C-alpha cells in the first residue's frame, strides 16, 4: 500500500499546477478537465463555467506523486491540519525551493539550523498549502 496526497483547489488548480512546475519542478503525468470526461456528470450538477476546470491531475515531484483537482462542488478553499515535507541533500536546493514556495505565500518558520537538521523551515504557499523544507544530516 502507498499513500498519495490529493489536494483540492477552489478554482485555482491550473494556476497551482503551473506554480508547482516552476517552484518544485513538478511534472504532469495526467490531466483531465471536467468537460473532457468520458462520462459527463448529469445535466445541472456542475456549476456554470466548470467545464474548463481540472477534474483530476497527477503530478510528480522527484519520486513522489500527488494528485490535484478543482473542487467545484464544495466552493470551499484552503488547507488545514497538514503540511507536505520536502527533504533535500543540499542546502542550496532547499533554499531555492523554499524561496519559490514563499513567493506570494507566508513563512511561518524561516530556514535555520535545528537539532534535527542543518536547515529547516516552514512556509505556506500562495494557495495555503503548508510545506516543511529540510536538509538531511541532523539527528533523527
Amino acid at each position: 500500500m502507498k499513500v498519495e496526497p490529493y489536494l483540492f483547489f477552489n478554482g485555482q488548480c491550473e494556476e497551482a499546477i503551473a506554480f508547482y512546475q516552476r517552484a518544485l519542478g513538478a511534472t504532469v503525468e495526467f490531466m483531465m478537465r471536467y468537460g473532457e470526461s468520458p462520462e459527463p456528470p448529469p445535466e445541472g450538477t456542475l456549476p456554470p463555467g466548470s467545464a474548463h476546470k481540472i477534474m483530476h491531475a497527477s503530478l510528480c515531484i522527484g519520486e513522489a506523486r500527488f494528485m490535484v483537482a478543482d473542487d467545484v462542488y464544495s466552493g470551499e478553499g484552503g488547507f488545514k491540519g497538514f503540511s507536505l515535507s520536502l527533504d533535500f541533500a543540499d542546502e542550496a536546493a532547499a533554499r531555492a525551493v523554499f524561496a519559490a514556495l514563499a513567493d506570494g505565500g507566508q513563512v511561518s518558520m524561516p530556514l535555520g539550523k535545528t537539532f534535527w537538521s542543518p536547515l529547516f523551515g516552514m512556509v505556506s504557499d500562495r494557495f495555503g498549502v503548508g510545506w516543511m523544507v529540510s536538509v538531511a544530516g541532523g539527528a533523527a
Side-chain angles (χ1 to χ4, degrees):
M1 173 178 17
K2 63 181 173 178
V3 175
E4 293 178 345
Y6 206 119
L7 308 179
F8 291 95
F9 297 88
N10 188 19
Q12 295 180 294
C13 189
E14 191 162 7
E15 182 183 344
I17 290 170
F19 175 73
Y20 296 135
Q21 286 176 312
R22 285 189 314 274
L24 302 172
T27 58
V28 177
E29 285 187 319
F30 176 83
M31 186 172 74
M32 180 182 288
R33 298 177 188 281
Y34 284 96
E36 299 169 339
S37 175
E39 294 183 17
E43 185 73 28
T45 59
L46 280 179
S50 298
H52 70 283
K53 296 296 182 184
I54 307 297
M55 182 174 83
H56 173 76
S58 177
L59 307 177
C60 285
I61 301 172
E63 296 178 23
R65 175 183 295 118
F66 67 104
M67 294 163 283
V68 296
D70 278 310
D71 187 5
V72 298
Y73 295 103
S74 76
E76 297 177 13
F79 294 88
K80 296 174 181 68
F82 74 92
S83 291
L84 301 175
S85 180
L86 299 171
D87 297 312
F88 293 89
D90 70 89
E91 292 187 18
R95 288 182 191 284
V97 166
F98 190 87
L101 290 170
D103 182 21
Q106 183 174 349
V107 174
S108 55
M109 182 177 179
L111 284 171
K113 186 175 179 359
T114 65
F115 69 88
W116 68 87
S117 173
L119 194 65
F120 175 83
M122 297 188 304
V123 60
S124 293
D125 68 28
R126 64 182 70 184
F127 302 101
V129 177
W131 296 89
M132 297 183 300
V133 176
S134 63
V135 173

